[in-house]
Amino acid sequence: MTAGSGAADRALPVAGPQLVRRAALRLIRLDGRAFAAMTALNALAAAAGLVGPWLLGRIIDQVRAGGGVAGVDRLALTILVFAVAQLVLVRYAGLVAHRFGERTLARVREQFAERALALPATAVERAGTGDLMTRGTTDVAAVGATLRNSGPEVLVAGVQALSVLGAVFVLDPLLGACGVLGLLGIWFAARWYLRRALAAYLAEGAANSELAEQLAATAAGARTVEALGLQRRRIAACREGIEKCRRTRTRTLFLRSVLFPAVDISYVIPVAGVLLIGGVLHDHGAMSLGAVVASALYLRQLSQPLDVILQQMEQLQSSGASFARVEGIGTAAQALPAAPPAPAGDGIEVAGVRYAYDDGDDVLHGVDLRVRPGERLVIVGPSGAGKTTLGRLLAGMDAPHTGSVTVGRVPVAGLDPDRLRRHVVLVTQEHHVFLGTVRENLRIASAGATDAELRAALAAVGAEWADELPEGLDTDLGRGGHRPDGARAQQLALARVVLADPHTLILDEATALLDPRTARHTERALAAVLEGRTVVAIAHRLQSAHDADRVAVMEDGRITELGTHRQLVAAGGAYAALWRSWHGGRPPPS
């Protein structure tokens, strides 16, 4: 994993080199036959490509020896046959390679989606949606480009290069050694590059993720930014992210600017060396002119596969860093603690809880609370009192720094996502409408729900408008289809809650986007549907508290009052003051 401070500490992990190698080998084994066929076809194509220079040397020797035209024509025809064979083999090998790449990329995408969905929401929130989004788009696309193009091309070029060097050694070991020594410049340049490239590309990927997070946060909160006059601050933050991206990109460009000129110079050295040494040997009768020419042609031919390898080295390093970031999601999933046993009951208990965000000051101070199964508890208090933070802890979105939050004597935050959502569901005022139909949006909560159950859930939250859409439940939502406003998106989210049917529901201003009358209707409908379920509602509208079984008042991260509505009004404390304020200072009905 990577280490760092600040934002880097909260970033999703990056897989180490050993994990990346194991993951790559696993992907190859899953489609081993195609990989073996691709390798074999490329080897045959490389062997066919070696015939031309060797036969050309034979033609030169035959002409010098006074051979006839018929013999030269036969050799020339043979060169043509092998050239056509090489072309067919390369094309077929490319087809096999592309099919292998597409199947493997599909596995990478599916695995990434499964691992991302298995991550706890708190890990994604701390890392930022930009990081996860960049890994799922840019990084996966880079891996796909390598699987489809760069990987097969480098494999072909590697087989060709080894075959060419082998052919030179077969013609004459001394010339082969000369060619290898002449290529040492490429080896040193590549080694210098590889030692620096992976870290540089990882830094570039991290900078891209940070910039994406800054831009996404600024766009999503554009109205808030404008309302609070934060334009200059957000522009400065985005410019800082852009500058970091520029610096990391410049670093990778510098590495390439050193590598490629060194390689271009190194290509000339082995060919020149073979011609000089081969010429001396030929003058002493130790080697035929055809062998010298064939060796020089082989080494000249070597430049083409080496060019491919070196030109694709950037893509391989970039995609290697991307693959490490993609596999890092699996590292994060593996790092999760073992799932605890199933909860022995539905009761939720908060004991001595303290919590702080990002090692800051505590926002909760020794909170104790017992939520009885089946009761409706409303949490009220001024902004910043810690209500939302307590709701997140109750829903298992975060774990307390000290103390415990348990359901059925099992830590809520330790439950795996599937089991957690069967017990506790958190609904906030921030809702997401997925691309797809109304039916598909609802079945996220219950894949096997019938249309009658979907309509009943919609009716329970006052969303009868769904049947008035052009195609009813089959109406597409989002871009290109019906675009529900915030209130309708909120009702869809609440309908999903009805379908999920959890035993405990945490409502954090879940009806804030609805008008007061619709919100009141929706809350009463939900209360009827969720009869017998535990409901913890975080509310600013105190009318919700009037109907609750109990009311908890939070101030400065502590629960200062707890009781029924009548008890708290009669006590004349903070809740009574809030209740009077809600009714405009007049003595309200109890």
Side-chain angles (χ1 to χ4, degrees), residues 7 13 29 40 63 71 79 82 116 131 180 225 246 292 304 316-317 322 327 445 456-457 466 487 535 539 541 583:
R29 285 196 298 268
V63 170
I79 292 174
F82 275 94
D131 190 8
V180 171
V225 170
R246 186 196 65 79
V292 175
Q304 191 272 333
L316 291 176
Q317 290 298 305
S322 295
E327 282 297 309
V535 178
R541 292 170 177 156
H583 286 274

Side-chain angles (χ1 to χ4, degrees), residues 178 533 587:
C178 179
R533 307 290 181 186

Side-chain angles (χ1 to χ4, degrees), residues 150-170:
S150 302
E153 288 179 9
V154 168
L155 178 63
V156 172
V159 173
Q160 289 176 342
L162 292 175
S163 301
V164 167
L165 285 175
V168 176
F169 273 99
V170 169

Side-chain angles (χ1 to χ4, degrees), residues 483-551:
R483 293 185 177 227
D485 57 21
R488 289 187 171 186
Q490 206 161 35
Q491 288 176 320
L492 284 174
L494 293 172
R496 285 197 288 261
V497 170
V498 174
L499 291 167
D501 195 25
H503 76 64
T504 298
L505 180 62
I506 313 294
L507 298 174
D508 186 0
E509 295 297 328
T511 58
L513 297 180
L514 305 178
D515 63 83
R517 179 175 297 180
T518 304
R520 185 72 173 154
H521 169 73
T522 301
E523 288 169 358
R524 287 178 173 172
L526 270 176
V529 172
L530 299 174
E531 182 69 31
R533 307 290 181 186
T534 306
V535 178
V536 178
I538 298 167
H540 287 109
R541 292 170 177 156
L542 293 191
Q543 193 62 43
S544 302
H546 182 276
D547 301 331
D549 297 321
R550 287 193 300 165
V551 180

Side-chain angles (χ1 to χ4, degrees), residues 190-479:
R191 186 179 180 186
W192 178 89
Y193 175 81
L194 292 174
R195 282 181 172 180
R196 295 161 176 80
L198 181 59
Y201 280 108
L202 285 174
E204 185 179 349
N208 289 336
S209 292
E210 291 180 23
L211 178 60
E213 177 66 21
Q214 290 283 2
L215 294 175
T218 302
R223 292 184 179 178
T224 302
V225 170
E226 184 177 2
L228 299 179
L230 301 176
Q231 293 94 328
R232 290 186 178 180
R233 186 180 302 179
R234 295 308 304 171
I235 290 173
C238 291
R239 283 179 175 172
E240 183 179 347
I242 292 170
E243 173 60 21
K244 188 172 183 180
C245 285
R246 186 196 65 79
R247 289 197 305 269
T248 56
R249 182 63 175 168
T250 301
R251 172 62 177 168
T252 57
L253 288 171
F254 165 73
L255 295 178
R256 294 194 296 277
S257 71
V258 173
L259 173 67
F260 291 133
V263 168
D264 290 338
I265 295 173
S266 299
Y267 281 152
V268 181
I269 296 174
V271 178
V274 164
L275 288 174
L276 288 173
I277 295 175
V280 172
L281 293 175
H282 175 66
D283 285 341
H284 289 77
M287 180 177 293
S288 69
L289 180 61
V292 175
V293 172
S295 298
L297 288 174
Y298 278 138
L299 289 174
R300 186 59 187 163
Q301 193 181 62
L302 188 62
S303 64
Q304 191 272 333
L306 288 180
D307 263 342
V308 171
I309 293 173
L310 293 168
Q311 288 172 4
Q312 295 296 338
M313 191 177 293
E314 176 192 1
Q315 177 64 33
L316 291 176
Q317 290 298 305
S318 177
S319 63
S322 295
F323 191 44
R325 285 162 53 79
V326 171
E327 282 297 309
I329 301 296
T331 303
Q334 293 169 7
L336 297 177
D346 298 337
I348 295 179
E349 185 170 353
V350 181
V353 163
R354 291 181 176 272
Y355 184 79
Y357 289 99
D358 297 331
D359 299 324
D361 295 333
D362 284 349
V363 294
L364 296 181
H365 309 277
V367 175
D368 294 293
L369 178 66
R370 184 187 294 271
V371 184
R372 298 188 292 263
E375 82 166 325
R376 179 177 177 82
L377 173 71
V378 172
I379 302 175
V380 300
S383 297
K387 304 185 299 297
T388 293
T389 301
L390 179 58
R392 290 173 60 85
L393 297 181
L394 292 172
M397 301 291 288
D398 288 307
H401 292 173
T402 59
S404 62
V405 180
T406 60
V407 54
R409 302 177 184 175
V410 172
V412 178
L415 296 174
D416 66 81
D418 288 339
R419 180 176 289 175
L420 174 63
R421 298 307 160 222
R422 288 198 296 269
H423 287 274
V424 184
V425 168
L426 171 67
V427 183
T428 70
Q429 58 183 305
E430 298 178 0
H431 306 302
H432 184 74
V433 176
F434 298 91
L435 292 177
T437 64
V438 176
R439 180 184 289 103
E440 290 167 341
N441 266 265
L442 294 175
R443 281 184 174 170
I444 291 172
S446 178
T450 64
D451 284 1
E453 291 171 331
L454 299 182
R455 289 190 172 89
L458 290 168
V461 298
E464 292 85 356
W465 51 264
D467 282 328
E468 300 172 4
L469 295 175
E471 298 179 45
L473 296 178
D474 291 318
T475 302
D476 286 323
L477 300 180
R479 185 179 302 173

Side-chain angles (χ1 to χ4, degrees), residues 111-123:
Q111 182 175 267
F112 179 86
E114 292 172 359
R115 289 173 171 177
L117 292 173
L119 289 175
T122 179

